[in-house]
Amino acid sequence: MATLKDITRRLKSIKNIQKITKSMKMVAAAKYARAERELKPARVYGTGSLALYEKADIKVPEDKKKHLLIGVSSDRGLCGAIHSSIAKQMKSEVTALTAAGKEVKLVGIGDKIRGILHRTHSDQFLVTFKEVGRKPPTFGDASVIALELLNSGYEFDEGSIIFNQFRQEKFSNQTFLMLMSVISYKIAEKPIFSLDTVAGAESMSIYDDIDADVLRNYQEFSLANIIYYSLKESTTSEQSARMTAMDNASKNASEMIDKLTLTFNRTRQAVITKELIEIISGAAAL
């Protein structure tokens, strides 16, 4: 049975942890509010760049086998299963693409995704990027990543970028007549194509004024746009998940504190009762 000193020490430890989780929740809430504000204008970059692929109906020839798979995470944890879900999706994609006879290379944006996949897929990593998630992502960060991919020497034919897409649903609760907000995220996958694949698309021939230089410049800009869009979506999802995780941790700490306080009071009462019995027994023996 734990002594009063052991219970007191554990109570103090859990109370300190609760202070940390509450502080982290407040910090995550502030970062989430900023990330959500910056997400709406950033979505224009992604939807605008992906519109060309949708309108042109770009299809990769069957003889093209090189596939680039980009996973977006960050360097920071304590945000639930937001990183492991991306890693799980990437593992599934690698298995499916390899079974289809394609050569797959991985790109990890964020140290967490590298740490999860390095043990099983270390030979397939093309490049990894660190120092992601410590500060809000900018278009300059996305441009650096895009330039590094283009200069890596790997001539991929097609690829996809996997990230957590933020979504916030609002609905009216008729019972309480109040507006409730549900914060969640889902795994999204967006396509990317090489310059040769885009230039070889049949639908691109209808644009007479697009030459090779214009198409190459647009392709580089489009890749940076999609990466920037995915970084913003992933950052907002991560902050909302961390805010929820720290809130749950604080609630769990409160429950543990209540249980330990009850145990402490019972143990103290038992000690007092035992001491009274010993005093009364000693007095009766006299």
Side-chain angles (χ1 to χ4, degrees):
M1 183 177 179
T3 62
L4 288 175
K5 187 175 182 180
D6 294 335
I7 298 174
T8 302
R9 187 185 299 113
R10 192 175 181 192
L11 263 173
K12 184 179 179 180
S13 175
I14 295 175
K15 286 179 179 178
N16 290 335
I17 293 174
Q18 187 184 43
K19 290 179 182 178
I20 294 173
T21 55
K22 284 184 176 180
S23 299
M24 291 185 66
K25 177 190 173 184
M26 294 177 63
V27 172
K31 290 184 176 181
Y32 160 72
R34 177 181 176 179
E36 189 183 18
R37 288 195 305 269
E38 296 177 352
L39 177 60
K40 187 175 181 180
R43 279 177 170 166
V44 179
Y45 288 84
T47 55
S49 296
L50 293 170
L52 174 66
Y53 297 155
E54 296 173 359
K55 298 294 183 181
D57 192 22
I58 300 174
K59 295 181 180 179
V60 181
E62 295 182 358
D63 59 333
K64 302 294 184 180
K65 300 293 184 181
K66 294 184 177 181
H67 193 101
L68 185 66
L69 200 60
I70 304 174
V72 181
S73 66
S74 73
D75 294 355
R76 304 185 64 195
L78 297 177
C79 49
I82 198 165
H83 301 311
S84 58
S85 59
I86 293 293
K88 184 178 179 181
Q89 180 68 18
M90 290 184 71
K91 287 181 180 179
S92 177
E93 290 288 334
V94 169
T95 302
L97 291 170
T98 304
K102 295 199 174 185
E103 175 190 335
V104 183
K105 287 293 183 181
L106 303 179
V107 174
I109 301 178
D111 195 52
K112 287 293 180 180
I113 200 72
R114 184 202 63 81
I116 297 174
L117 296 177
H118 185 73
R119 185 172 61 86
T120 56
H121 299 78
S122 59
D123 57 329
Q124 293 178 296
F125 267 99
L126 179 65
V127 64
T128 57
F129 300 92
K130 297 182 179 181
E131 300 298 325
V132 179
R134 300 185 183 277
K135 295 181 180 180
T138 62
F139 188 80
D141 298 332
S143 301
V144 171
I145 295 173
L147 185 62
E148 188 70 23
L149 291 177
L150 293 173
N151 295 335
S152 64
Y154 182 72
E155 299 292 337
F156 66 94
D157 301 310
E158 65 173 325
S160 53
I161 182 167
I162 300 175
F163 59 96
N164 291 297
Q165 186 174 31
F166 176 77
R167 59 181 181 180
Q168 184 174 15
E169 301 174 359
K170 293 183 178 180
F171 60 93
S172 177
N173 190 322
Q174 296 181 357
T175 305
F176 299 100
L177 297 177
M178 61 184 295
L179 190 66
M180 301 181 65
S181 177
V182 177
I183 299 173
S184 62
Y185 59 90
K186 63 178 181 178
I187 296 177
E189 183 174 349
K190 301 299 181 182
I192 56 175
F193 300 97
S194 65
L195 176 62
D196 294 337
T197 303
V198 175
E202 297 181 359
S203 302
M204 295 300 296
S205 59
I206 62 176
Y207 301 101
D208 297 334
D209 56 341
I210 295 182
D211 56 16
D213 291 336
V214 172
L215 194 60
R216 182 173 61 257
N217 292 335
Y218 179 82
Q219 183 64 12
E220 295 174 357
F221 182 65
S222 176
L223 180 60
N225 283 344
I226 297 174
I227 293 175
Y228 176 63
Y229 160 67
S230 64
L231 285 173
K232 282 295 186 182
E233 290 278 2
S234 181
T235 299
T236 309
S237 301
E238 179 186 342
Q239 296 301 338
S240 66
R242 181 173 291 110
M243 185 173 60
T244 303
M246 292 301 101
D247 182 50
N248 292 335
S250 299
K251 290 178 181 177
N252 293 338
S254 296
E255 293 177 2
M256 293 183 68
I257 290 171
D258 292 340
K259 291 179 181 179
L260 284 173
T261 302
L262 182 60
T263 303
F264 176 82
N265 292 335
R266 286 177 176 174
T267 305
R268 184 179 61 179
Q269 187 64 40
V271 171
I272 295 173
T273 304
K274 182 180 178 181
E275 291 177 353
L276 287 175
I277 292 174
E278 291 176 353
I279 294 172
I280 295 172
S281 298
L286 298 175

